[in-house]
């Protein structure tokens, strides 16, 4: 189980238009992780069900993952708040590999929305 800011379907569609999936990568674009485990164990214990906006500010990619960095008032334990967009499973990629991205590039202006949920 994990606690996340789960994207609305409209926000997922926005990301799909901005970052079209590659045929050989798994398209994810589901959430921004807040913490592993239930909400009570993280910084969003009292935020379940609340909605937050996010602004995409940057993006990064390596041979395993593509992610966008976001600004939001929603808390997260991750030093860089982000949404994993795609995963290259053939190269051994996993969504958590987005936490290792270091070469972020500026990206301006997509607004996204999500709701704090416990997943799994």
């Amino acid at each position: 189980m994990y606690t996340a800011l789960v994207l609305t379907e409209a926000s997922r569609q926005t990301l799909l238009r901005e970052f079209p999936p590659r045929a050989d990568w798994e398209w994810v674009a589901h959430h921004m992780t807040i913490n592993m485990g239930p909400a009570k164990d993280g910084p969003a214990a009292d935020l379940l069900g609340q909605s937050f906006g996010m602004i995409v500010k940057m993006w990064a990619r390596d041979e395993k993952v593509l992610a966008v960095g976001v600004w939001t008032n929603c808390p997260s334990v991750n030093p860089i708040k982000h949404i994993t967009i795609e995963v290259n499973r053939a190269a051994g990629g996993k969504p958590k590999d987005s936490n290792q991205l270091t070469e972020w590039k500026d990206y301006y202006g997509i607004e996204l929305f999500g709701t704090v949920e416990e997943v799994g």
Side-chain angles (χ1 to χ4, degrees):
M1 169 188 283
Y2 60 93
T3 304
L5 185 55
V6 177
L7 295 171
T8 64
E9 185 57 32
S11 292
R12 292 188 82 235
Q13 292 303 313
T14 296
L15 286 171
L16 181 63
R17 283 190 302 277
E18 292 289 322
F19 298 92
R22 288 173 277 186
D24 53 341
W25 287 49
E26 177 186 340
W27 198 77
V28 182
H30 178 260
H31 67 274
M32 179 200 81
T33 300
I34 296 171
N35 63 276
M36 298 308 294
K40 69 178 181 61
D41 294 342
D46 58 345
L47 301 177
L48 279 174
Q50 289 191 30
S51 296
F52 287 87
M54 295 169 271
I55 303 291
V56 175
K57 293 290 196 178
M58 55 191 173
W59 68 279
R61 175 186 334 184
D62 64 15
E63 68 281 352
K64 294 183 177 182
V65 290
L66 165 67
V68 293
V70 297
W71 179 91
T72 179
N73 285 328
C74 184
S76 173
V77 298
N78 289 328
I80 297 177
K81 297 175 185 181
H82 65 275
I83 299 165
T84 301
I85 302 296
E86 288 185 305
V87 177
N88 184 353
R89 298 279 186 187
K94 297 178 181 170
K96 70 177 185 168
D97 293 328
S98 293
N99 292 310
Q100 307 309 315
L101 292 170
T102 58
E103 296 185 28
W104 293 91
K105 297 174 178 75
D106 289 342
Y107 194 91
Y108 296 99
I110 302 174
E111 189 171 19
L112 306 172
F113 299 92
T115 303
V116 177
E117 299 179 19
E118 293 178 333
V119 181

